[in-house]
Short mmCIF file of all heavy atoms in Angstrom, two decimals:
data_model
loop_
_atom_site.label_atom_id
_atom_site.label_comp_id
_atom_site.label_asym_id
_atom_site.label_seq_id
_atom_site.Cartn_x
_atom_site.Cartn_y
_atom_site.Cartn_z
N SER E 54 4.40 266.20 -11.76
CA SER E 54 4.04 264.93 -11.12
C SER E 54 3.57 265.38 -9.72
O SER E 54 4.29 265.50 -8.79
CB SER E 54 5.39 264.06 -10.96
OG SER E 54 4.98 263.06 -10.21
N GLY E 57 4.73 263.36 -6.93
CA GLY E 57 6.08 263.52 -6.32
C GLY E 57 6.17 264.49 -5.14
O GLY E 57 7.20 264.78 -4.53
N THR E 65 13.38 264.13 -0.51
CA THR E 65 13.95 262.94 -1.33
C THR E 65 14.23 263.46 -2.73
O THR E 65 15.20 263.14 -3.37
CB THR E 65 12.98 261.84 -1.30
OG1 THR E 65 12.67 261.41 -0.16
CG2 THR E 65 13.38 260.69 -2.34
N THR E 316 -1.80 258.16 -14.20
CA THR E 316 -1.75 257.16 -15.25
C THR E 316 -2.90 257.31 -15.99
O THR E 316 -2.84 257.30 -17.35
CB THR E 316 -1.53 255.73 -14.68
OG1 THR E 316 -2.52 255.58 -13.78
CG2 THR E 316 -0.26 255.51 -14.02
N HIS E 317 -4.05 257.46 -15.50
CA HIS E 317 -5.41 257.48 -16.21
C HIS E 317 -5.41 258.77 -17.04
O HIS E 317 -5.77 258.84 -18.24
CB HIS E 317 -6.56 257.44 -15.36
CG HIS E 317 -6.63 256.18 -14.55
ND1 HIS E 317 -6.19 254.98 -15.07
CD2 HIS E 317 -7.07 255.99 -13.26
CE1 HIS E 317 -6.29 254.06 -13.99
NE2 HIS E 317 -6.78 254.57 -13.02
N LYS E 320 -3.11 258.59 -20.05
CA LYS E 320 -3.76 257.76 -21.22
C LYS E 320 -4.95 258.40 -21.72
O LYS E 320 -5.18 258.39 -22.94
CB LYS E 320 -4.13 256.41 -20.52
CG LYS E 320 -2.92 255.46 -20.28
CD LYS E 320 -3.33 254.07 -20.16
CE LYS E 320 -2.32 253.10 -19.47
NZ LYS E 320 -2.41 253.10 -18.09
N ARG E 323 -4.07 261.27 -23.94
CA ARG E 323 -3.56 260.84 -25.20
C ARG E 323 -4.63 260.29 -26.15
O ARG E 323 -4.68 260.54 -27.36
CB ARG E 323 -2.58 259.75 -24.85
CG ARG E 323 -1.72 259.42 -25.96
CD ARG E 323 -0.67 258.28 -25.57
NE ARG E 323 -0.02 257.83 -26.72
CZ ARG E 323 1.19 258.41 -27.21
NH1 ARG E 323 1.63 259.48 -26.68
NH2 ARG E 323 1.71 257.96 -28.38
N LEU E 340 -9.12 249.63 -13.56
CA LEU E 340 -9.26 248.58 -12.56
C LEU E 340 -9.00 249.14 -11.17
O LEU E 340 -9.28 248.30 -10.22
CB LEU E 340 -8.04 247.56 -12.83
CG LEU E 340 -8.07 246.85 -14.19
CD1 LEU E 340 -6.79 246.10 -14.31
CD2 LEU E 340 -9.23 245.95 -14.22
N GLY E 341 -8.75 250.41 -11.01
CA GLY E 341 -8.53 250.91 -9.69
C GLY E 341 -7.22 250.44 -9.03
O GLY E 341 -7.02 250.32 -7.94
N THR E 342 -6.19 250.18 -9.94
CA THR E 342 -4.87 249.85 -9.58
C THR E 342 -4.26 251.05 -8.86
O THR E 342 -4.25 252.19 -9.36
CB THR E 342 -4.00 249.31 -10.77
OG1 THR E 342 -4.73 248.32 -11.39
CG2 THR E 342 -2.72 248.86 -10.20
N ILE E 344 -0.76 251.99 -5.98
CA ILE E 344 0.44 251.47 -5.33
C ILE E 344 1.01 252.61 -4.51
O ILE E 344 0.99 253.80 -5.06
CB ILE E 344 1.33 250.80 -6.30
CG1 ILE E 344 2.62 250.08 -5.75
CG2 ILE E 344 1.97 251.85 -7.35
CD1 ILE E 344 3.37 249.41 -6.70
N TYR E 382 15.54 231.37 2.03
CA TYR E 382 16.91 231.34 2.43
C TYR E 382 17.77 232.56 1.82
O TYR E 382 18.82 232.79 2.18
CB TYR E 382 17.46 230.15 1.98
CG TYR E 382 17.53 229.78 0.47
CD1 TYR E 382 18.43 230.36 -0.38
CD2 TYR E 382 16.56 228.94 0.07
CE1 TYR E 382 18.36 230.06 -1.70
CE2 TYR E 382 16.49 228.55 -1.24
CZ TYR E 382 17.36 229.22 -2.24
OH TYR E 382 17.31 228.97 -3.63
N PRO E 384 19.06 236.35 1.32
CA PRO E 384 19.15 237.58 2.20
C PRO E 384 18.06 238.59 1.61
O PRO E 384 17.92 238.83 0.41
CB PRO E 384 20.58 238.10 2.01
CG PRO E 384 21.33 236.87 1.54
CD PRO E 384 20.38 236.02 0.83
N ASN E 412 10.12 244.84 -2.65
CA ASN E 412 9.72 244.03 -3.80
C ASN E 412 8.52 243.16 -3.61
O ASN E 412 8.33 242.20 -4.29
CB ASN E 412 10.90 242.94 -4.00
CG ASN E 412 12.20 243.55 -4.24
OD1 ASN E 412 12.24 244.56 -4.93
ND2 ASN E 412 13.21 243.00 -3.78
N LYS E 415 4.70 245.80 -6.36
CA LYS E 415 4.60 245.94 -7.79
C LYS E 415 4.18 244.59 -8.56
O LYS E 415 3.78 244.58 -9.57
CB LYS E 415 5.94 246.31 -8.47
CG LYS E 415 6.09 246.90 -9.83
CD LYS E 415 5.24 248.10 -10.09
CE LYS E 415 5.51 248.68 -11.51
NZ LYS E 415 4.23 249.05 -12.32
N ASP E 418 0.80 244.20 -10.37
CA ASP E 418 0.62 244.48 -11.85
C ASP E 418 0.32 242.99 -12.56
O ASP E 418 -0.49 242.93 -13.46
CB ASP E 418 1.94 244.81 -12.46
CG ASP E 418 2.05 246.32 -12.34
OD1 ASP E 418 1.18 246.98 -11.72
OD2 ASP E 418 3.12 246.76 -12.70
N VAL E 419 0.77 241.92 -12.00
CA VAL E 419 0.42 240.57 -12.43
C VAL E 419 -1.13 240.28 -12.31
O VAL E 419 -1.90 239.89 -13.23
CB VAL E 419 1.14 239.46 -11.81
CG1 VAL E 419 0.69 238.12 -12.26
CG2 VAL E 419 2.64 239.63 -12.02
N TRP E 425 -7.52 242.27 -15.98
CA TRP E 425 -7.77 242.86 -17.25
C TRP E 425 -8.37 241.90 -18.26
O TRP E 425 -9.21 241.99 -19.08
CB TRP E 425 -6.56 243.50 -17.82
CG TRP E 425 -6.80 244.45 -19.00
CD1 TRP E 425 -6.70 244.09 -20.29
CD2 TRP E 425 -7.08 245.78 -18.98
NE1 TRP E 425 -6.88 245.29 -21.04
CE2 TRP E 425 -7.11 246.34 -20.34
CE3 TRP E 425 -7.13 246.83 -17.91
CZ2 TRP E 425 -7.34 247.58 -20.60
CZ3 TRP E 425 -7.38 248.18 -18.18
CH2 TRP E 425 -7.53 248.57 -19.64
N ASN E 426 -7.77 240.65 -18.06
CA ASN E 426 -8.17 239.47 -18.91
C ASN E 426 -9.27 238.58 -18.26
O ASN E 426 -9.52 237.45 -18.72
CB ASN E 426 -6.98 238.65 -19.22
CG ASN E 426 -6.03 239.41 -20.20
OD1 ASN E 426 -6.19 239.51 -21.38
ND2 ASN E 426 -4.89 239.99 -19.69
N MET E 428 -9.37 236.65 -15.73
CA MET E 428 -8.86 235.30 -15.44
C MET E 428 -9.49 234.73 -14.19
O MET E 428 -9.88 235.41 -13.31
CB MET E 428 -7.29 235.21 -15.30
CG MET E 428 -6.52 235.53 -16.69
SD MET E 428 -4.70 235.54 -16.31
CE MET E 428 -4.40 233.69 -16.31
N ALA E 435 -1.83 228.60 -12.66
CA ALA E 435 -1.12 227.86 -13.58
C ALA E 435 0.02 228.61 -14.34
O ALA E 435 0.74 228.07 -14.93
CB ALA E 435 -2.08 227.28 -14.59
N MET E 436 -0.04 229.93 -14.08
CA MET E 436 0.85 230.75 -14.99
C MET E 436 2.40 230.48 -14.77
O MET E 436 2.74 230.19 -13.73
CB MET E 436 0.55 232.21 -14.79
CG MET E 436 -0.82 232.59 -15.44
SD MET E 436 -0.90 234.42 -15.71
CE MET E 436 -0.72 235.04 -14.05
N ASP E 437 3.07 230.87 -15.76
CA ASP E 437 4.51 230.77 -15.88
C ASP E 437 5.19 232.09 -15.52
O ASP E 437 5.58 232.77 -16.42
CB ASP E 437 4.98 230.16 -17.28
CG ASP E 437 6.44 229.91 -17.39
OD1 ASP E 437 7.15 230.01 -16.40
OD2 ASP E 437 6.85 229.56 -18.56
N GLY E 439 8.24 234.51 -13.54
CA GLY E 439 9.61 234.34 -13.24
C GLY E 439 9.96 233.93 -11.84
O GLY E 439 9.63 234.39 -10.91
N TYR E 440 10.93 232.98 -11.85
CA TYR E 440 11.45 232.46 -10.56
C TYR E 440 13.00 232.44 -10.50
O TYR E 440 13.57 231.86 -11.34
CB TYR E 440 10.85 231.12 -10.21
CG TYR E 440 11.78 230.45 -9.10
CD1 TYR E 440 11.90 230.90 -7.84
CD2 TYR E 440 12.43 229.24 -9.42
CE1 TYR E 440 12.66 230.49 -6.87
CE2 TYR E 440 13.32 228.75 -8.53
CZ TYR E 440 13.47 229.16 -7.27
OH TYR E 440 14.33 228.62 -6.27
N VAL E 447 9.90 229.67 -4.98
CA VAL E 447 9.78 228.85 -6.17
C VAL E 447 8.24 228.87 -6.63
O VAL E 447 7.92 228.91 -7.71
CB VAL E 447 10.23 227.45 -5.98
CG1 VAL E 447 9.43 226.61 -4.98
CG2 VAL E 447 10.14 226.66 -7.38
N ASP E 449 5.54 231.48 -6.73
CA ASP E 449 5.37 232.92 -6.51
C ASP E 449 4.17 233.11 -5.56
O ASP E 449 3.19 232.47 -5.67
CB ASP E 449 5.08 233.55 -7.83
CG ASP E 449 5.10 235.00 -7.80
OD1 ASP E 449 4.16 235.69 -7.33
OD2 ASP E 449 6.22 235.62 -8.06
N ARG E 456 -3.85 229.61 -6.05
CA ARG E 456 -3.98 228.21 -6.01
C ARG E 456 -4.90 227.84 -4.83
O ARG E 456 -5.68 227.02 -4.92
CB ARG E 456 -2.53 227.60 -5.89
CG ARG E 456 -2.62 226.12 -6.28
CD ARG E 456 -1.37 225.46 -5.97
NE ARG E 456 -1.15 225.21 -4.49
CZ ARG E 456 0.00 225.13 -3.99
NH1 ARG E 456 1.21 225.19 -4.61
NH2 ARG E 456 0.02 224.80 -2.66
N GLU E 460 -8.33 225.93 -4.82
CA GLU E 460 -8.58 224.68 -4.25
C GLU E 460 -9.73 224.73 -3.32
O GLU E 460 -10.59 223.77 -3.16
CB GLU E 460 -7.37 224.29 -3.47
CG GLU E 460 -6.19 223.71 -4.35
CD GLU E 460 -4.86 223.58 -3.53
OE1 GLU E 460 -4.86 223.90 -2.40
OE2 GLU E 460 -3.91 223.24 -4.17
N SER W 66 16.60 223.37 -3.33
CA SER W 66 16.58 224.41 -4.34
C SER W 66 17.87 224.32 -5.15
O SER W 66 18.94 224.85 -4.69
CB SER W 66 16.33 225.66 -3.73
OG SER W 66 16.58 226.77 -4.69
N GLY W 69 19.59 227.55 -5.74
CA GLY W 69 20.24 228.26 -4.80
C GLY W 69 21.75 227.97 -4.70
O GLY W 69 22.38 228.48 -3.96
N THR W 77 26.34 233.67 0.07
CA THR W 77 25.21 234.45 0.31
C THR W 77 24.34 233.51 1.19
O THR W 77 23.51 234.10 2.11
CB THR W 77 24.45 234.75 -1.05
OG1 THR W 77 25.38 235.42 -1.95
CG2 THR W 77 23.25 235.51 -0.79
N THR W 328 10.12 225.78 -11.16
CA THR W 328 8.69 226.10 -11.21
C THR W 328 7.86 225.13 -11.93
O THR W 328 6.70 224.73 -11.47
CB THR W 328 8.44 227.51 -11.70
OG1 THR W 328 9.13 227.60 -12.92
CG2 THR W 328 9.01 228.58 -10.88
N HIS W 329 8.31 224.74 -13.10
CA HIS W 329 7.52 223.76 -13.89
C HIS W 329 7.49 222.43 -13.19
O HIS W 329 6.50 221.74 -13.13
CB HIS W 329 8.17 223.60 -15.27
CG HIS W 329 8.29 224.82 -16.01
ND1 HIS W 329 7.33 225.87 -15.86
CD2 HIS W 329 9.29 225.27 -16.91
CE1 HIS W 329 7.77 226.87 -16.61
NE2 HIS W 329 8.89 226.60 -17.32
N LYS W 332 4.89 222.53 -10.44
CA LYS W 332 3.66 222.43 -10.83
C LYS W 332 3.20 221.20 -11.43
O LYS W 332 2.09 220.59 -11.24
CB LYS W 332 3.49 223.63 -11.96
CG LYS W 332 3.39 225.06 -11.32
CD LYS W 332 2.63 225.95 -12.25
CE LYS W 332 2.91 227.48 -11.90
NZ LYS W 332 4.16 227.91 -12.37
N ARG W 335 2.87 218.48 -8.99
CA ARG W 335 1.54 218.64 -8.26
C ARG W 335 0.32 218.16 -9.15
O ARG W 335 -0.56 217.44 -8.62
CB ARG W 335 1.40 220.17 -7.89
CG ARG W 335 0.36 220.38 -6.86
CD ARG W 335 0.29 221.89 -6.54
NE ARG W 335 -0.94 222.15 -5.75
CZ ARG W 335 -0.85 222.07 -4.38
NH1 ARG W 335 0.10 221.81 -3.77
NH2 ARG W 335 -2.08 222.20 -3.79
N LEU W 352 5.77 229.08 -20.93
CA LEU W 352 6.04 230.35 -21.66
C LEU W 352 7.48 230.46 -21.95
O LEU W 352 7.94 231.39 -22.61
CB LEU W 352 5.43 231.61 -21.07
CG LEU W 352 4.01 231.63 -20.96
CD1 LEU W 352 3.58 232.84 -20.04
CD2 LEU W 352 3.34 231.74 -22.34
N GLY W 353 8.30 229.75 -21.23
CA GLY W 353 9.80 229.87 -21.19
C GLY W 353 10.25 231.08 -20.42
O GLY W 353 11.20 231.78 -20.72
N THR W 354 9.41 231.45 -19.36
CA THR W 354 9.75 232.61 -18.56
C THR W 354 11.06 232.15 -17.75
O THR W 354 11.06 231.09 -17.20
CB THR W 354 8.55 232.92 -17.68
OG1 THR W 354 7.40 233.03 -18.35
CG2 THR W 354 8.89 234.18 -16.85
N ILE W 356 14.31 234.19 -15.26
CA ILE W 356 14.81 235.48 -14.66
C ILE W 356 15.92 235.14 -13.80
O ILE W 356 16.19 234.04 -13.33
CB ILE W 356 13.63 235.98 -13.71
CG1 ILE W 356 14.07 237.38 -13.10
CG2 ILE W 356 13.25 235.12 -12.55
CD1 ILE W 356 12.84 238.09 -12.45
N TYR W 394 13.07 261.26 -11.34
CA TYR W 394 13.49 262.18 -10.31
C TYR W 394 13.70 261.49 -8.98
O TYR W 394 14.19 261.99 -7.98
CB TYR W 394 12.59 263.46 -10.15
CG TYR W 394 11.08 263.09 -9.77
CD1 TYR W 394 10.70 262.55 -8.47
CD2 TYR W 394 10.13 263.03 -10.72
CE1 TYR W 394 9.36 262.21 -8.29
CE2 TYR W 394 8.86 262.70 -10.57
CZ TYR W 394 8.42 262.35 -9.33
OH TYR W 394 7.16 262.04 -8.98
N PRO W 396 15.12 258.75 -6.30
CA PRO W 396 16.53 258.18 -6.05
C PRO W 396 16.43 256.78 -6.31
O PRO W 396 15.48 256.12 -6.04
CB PRO W 396 16.79 258.53 -4.61
CG PRO W 396 15.84 259.61 -4.14
CD PRO W 396 14.71 259.62 -5.12
N ASN W 424 14.92 246.34 -9.53
CA ASN W 424 13.44 246.40 -9.80
C ASN W 424 13.17 246.41 -11.23
O ASN W 424 12.08 246.91 -11.59
CB ASN W 424 12.89 247.82 -9.13
CG ASN W 424 13.04 247.73 -7.73
OD1 ASN W 424 12.94 246.76 -7.00
ND2 ASN W 424 13.40 248.92 -7.21
N LYS W 427 11.59 241.57 -12.72
CA LYS W 427 10.30 240.93 -12.21
C LYS W 427 9.11 241.45 -13.02
O LYS W 427 8.07 240.89 -13.03
CB LYS W 427 10.20 240.98 -10.77
CG LYS W 427 9.13 240.00 -10.06
CD LYS W 427 9.46 238.42 -10.16
CE LYS W 427 8.59 237.60 -9.32
NZ LYS W 427 7.94 236.56 -9.93
N ASP W 430 6.89 239.49 -15.44
CA ASP W 430 5.61 238.68 -15.10
C ASP W 430 4.37 239.31 -15.73
O ASP W 430 3.42 238.61 -16.00
CB ASP W 430 5.30 238.69 -13.53
CG ASP W 430 6.31 237.72 -12.89
OD1 ASP W 430 7.12 236.99 -13.60
OD2 ASP W 430 6.39 237.69 -11.62
N TRP W 437 0.13 234.78 -21.63
CA TRP W 437 -0.65 233.69 -21.28
C TRP W 437 -2.09 234.02 -21.87
O TRP W 437 -2.79 233.00 -22.15
CB TRP W 437 -0.68 233.45 -19.72
CG TRP W 437 -1.31 232.23 -19.27
CD1 TRP W 437 -2.57 232.06 -18.94
CD2 TRP W 437 -0.53 231.06 -19.00
NE1 TRP W 437 -2.68 230.83 -18.50
CE2 TRP W 437 -1.53 230.14 -18.47
CE3 TRP W 437 0.67 230.67 -19.07
CZ2 TRP W 437 -1.18 228.88 -18.14
CZ3 TRP W 437 1.05 229.43 -18.62
CH2 TRP W 437 0.09 228.49 -18.09
N ASN W 438 -2.34 235.24 -21.98
CA ASN W 438 -3.73 235.55 -22.46
C ASN W 438 -3.82 236.10 -23.89
O ASN W 438 -4.70 236.63 -24.27
CB ASN W 438 -4.27 236.66 -21.52
CG ASN W 438 -4.66 236.20 -20.04
OD1 ASN W 438 -5.65 235.53 -19.85
ND2 ASN W 438 -3.75 236.39 -19.18
N MET W 440 -2.51 238.47 -25.47
CA MET W 440 -2.81 239.97 -25.60
C MET W 440 -2.12 240.53 -26.74
O MET W 440 -1.01 240.18 -27.03
CB MET W 440 -2.53 240.68 -24.38
CG MET W 440 -3.31 240.33 -23.20
SD MET W 440 -3.04 241.40 -21.77
CE MET W 440 -3.97 242.93 -22.17
N ALA W 447 -2.89 249.59 -22.93
CA ALA W 447 -3.99 250.19 -22.36
C ALA W 447 -4.13 249.76 -20.86
O ALA W 447 -4.92 250.51 -20.14
CB ALA W 447 -5.31 249.85 -23.14
N MET W 448 -3.36 248.78 -20.34
CA MET W 448 -3.69 248.26 -19.00
C MET W 448 -3.43 249.30 -17.87
O MET W 448 -2.64 250.25 -17.96
CB MET W 448 -2.82 247.06 -18.84
CG MET W 448 -3.22 245.89 -19.62
SD MET W 448 -2.64 244.39 -19.01
CE MET W 448 -0.93 244.58 -19.02
N ASP W 449 -4.11 249.01 -16.77
CA ASP W 449 -3.98 249.82 -15.62
C ASP W 449 -3.05 249.13 -14.63
O ASP W 449 -3.39 248.36 -13.76
CB ASP W 449 -5.36 249.84 -14.98
CG ASP W 449 -5.56 250.76 -13.82
OD1 ASP W 449 -4.57 251.41 -13.36
OD2 ASP W 449 -6.70 250.75 -13.24
N GLY W 451 0.29 249.54 -11.74
CA GLY W 451 0.43 250.31 -10.55
C GLY W 451 1.55 251.48 -10.88
O GLY W 451 2.60 251.18 -11.44
N TYR W 452 1.28 252.63 -10.44
CA TYR W 452 2.18 253.66 -10.61
C TYR W 452 2.40 254.64 -9.34
O TYR W 452 1.38 254.99 -8.75
CB TYR W 452 1.77 254.70 -11.68
CG TYR W 452 2.40 256.02 -11.60
CD1 TYR W 452 3.83 256.16 -11.63
CD2 TYR W 452 1.70 257.18 -11.29
CE1 TYR W 452 4.48 257.38 -11.44
CE2 TYR W 452 2.37 258.44 -11.11
CZ TYR W 452 3.70 258.52 -11.17
OH TYR W 452 4.36 259.60 -10.94
N VAL W 459 5.43 257.34 -14.74
CA VAL W 459 4.07 257.42 -14.93
C VAL W 459 3.57 256.50 -16.00
O VAL W 459 2.44 255.87 -15.89
CB VAL W 459 3.51 258.92 -14.98
CG1 VAL W 459 3.97 259.50 -16.22
CG2 VAL W 459 2.02 258.93 -14.82
N ASP W 461 4.42 253.13 -17.30
CA ASP W 461 5.30 251.98 -17.13
C ASP W 461 6.07 251.58 -18.33
O ASP W 461 5.54 251.69 -19.36
CB ASP W 461 4.36 250.77 -16.63
CG ASP W 461 5.16 249.79 -15.99
OD1 ASP W 461 5.79 248.89 -16.79
OD2 ASP W 461 5.36 249.68 -14.64
N ARG W 468 3.08 250.30 -26.32
CA ARG W 468 2.54 251.36 -27.02
C ARG W 468 3.34 251.81 -28.29
O ARG W 468 2.63 251.87 -29.30
CB ARG W 468 2.37 252.58 -26.17
CG ARG W 468 1.32 253.62 -26.63
CD ARG W 468 1.50 254.86 -25.75
NE ARG W 468 2.54 255.62 -26.19
CZ ARG W 468 3.25 256.51 -25.40
NH1 ARG W 468 2.75 256.78 -24.18
NH2 ARG W 468 4.23 257.25 -25.83
N GLU W 472 2.01 251.49 -32.02
CA GLU W 472 1.89 252.71 -32.98
C GLU W 472 2.56 252.32 -34.24
O GLU W 472 2.10 252.77 -35.32
CB GLU W 472 2.51 253.90 -32.25
CG GLU W 472 1.66 254.47 -31.28
CD GLU W 472 2.30 255.59 -30.38
OE1 GLU W 472 3.53 255.83 -30.53
OE2 GLU W 472 1.58 256.11 -29.46
#
Side-chain angles (χ1 to χ4, degrees):
Chain E
S54 171
T65 302
T316 49
H317 305 325
K320 285 200 195 85
R323 197 177 169 88
L340 296 170
T342 310
I344 187 169
Y382 57 78
N412 298 323
K415 196 65 169 131
D418 286 354
V419 173
W425 194 270
N426 290 284
M428 289 181 83
M436 287 201 300
D437 182 5
Y440 159 63
V447 65
D449 191 280
R456 198 190 78 201
E460 282 168 3
Chain W
S66 170
T77 303
T328 49
H329 306 325
K332 284 201 196 87
R335 197 175 169 90
L352 295 170
T354 310
I356 186 169
Y394 57 78
N424 299 323
K427 196 66 167 128
D430 286 354
W437 194 271
N438 290 284
M440 290 182 82
M448 288 200 301
D449 183 4
Y452 159 64
V459 65
D461 191 279
R468 199 190 78 200
E472 283 169 0

